Amino acid sequence: MAKTGGIVPESVSVIITVQEQYLNRVQQVVQELENVGLTVDQVLGTLGQVIGHATEPRVSGLSGVSGVESVVPERRIVIAPPESGIQ
């Protein structure tokens, strides 16, 4: 990743939902997302979702791609094992 003024931009994981009318052209939408800065991790074509990551400044441009319904930051939830104490 390129450094800008000694600072490495932080990457944000996102889940992108493709509009229904673009489901038969998911790969075209994926290509356009890559062109605006998304690094694609996984394409769930039948679900109409693309999972990937981009730097914070690039994330706002993802929603402007034709065929994109929504761009939502990925959230991870960690649950303690059953045998652990009360948190």
Side-chain angles (χ1 to χ4, degrees), residues 46-58:
T46 56
L47 295 177
Q49 292 187 324
V50 180
I51 301 168
H53 59 279
T55 58
E56 187 69 44
R58 301 275 183 175

Side-chain angles (χ1 to χ4, degrees), residues 18-26 29 67 69:
V18 176
Q19 294 174 350
E20 188 174 344
Q21 63 267 32
Y22 282 82
L23 290 179
N24 60 342
R25 296 178 279 169
V26 170
V29 176
E69 178 77 27

Side-chain angles (χ1 to χ4, degrees), residues 17 29 32-33 50-51 56 60 62-63 68 74-75 87:
T17 302
V29 176
E32 291 191 37
L33 288 166
V50 180
I51 301 168
E56 187 69 44
S60 60
L62 299 174
S63 59
V68 170
E74 181 180 45
R75 295 174 51 182
Q87 304 288 316

Side-chain angles (χ1 to χ4, degrees), residues 2-84:
K3 291 185 178 183
T4 307
I7 299 172
V8 177
E10 187 172 330
S11 183
V12 177
S13 294
V14 291
I15 300 171
I16 298 163
T17 302
V18 176
Q19 294 174 350
E20 188 174 344
Q21 63 267 32
Y22 282 82
L23 290 179
N24 60 342
R25 296 178 279 169
V26 170
Q27 288 306 317
Q28 178 184 347
V29 176
V30 168
Q31 182 63 48
E32 291 191 37
L33 288 166
E34 289 176 328
N35 290 342
V36 295
L38 181 71
T39 299
V40 175
D41 297 324
Q42 192 172 16
V43 177
L44 306 171
T46 56
L47 295 177
Q49 292 187 324
V50 180
I51 301 168
H53 59 279
T55 58
E56 187 69 44
R58 301 275 183 175
V59 170
S60 60
L62 299 174
S63 59
V65 171
S66 295
V68 170
E69 178 77 27
S70 65
V71 178
V72 179
E74 181 180 45
R75 295 174 51 182
R76 295 183 185 253
I77 299 172
V78 179
I79 299 174
E83 66 276 357
S84 67

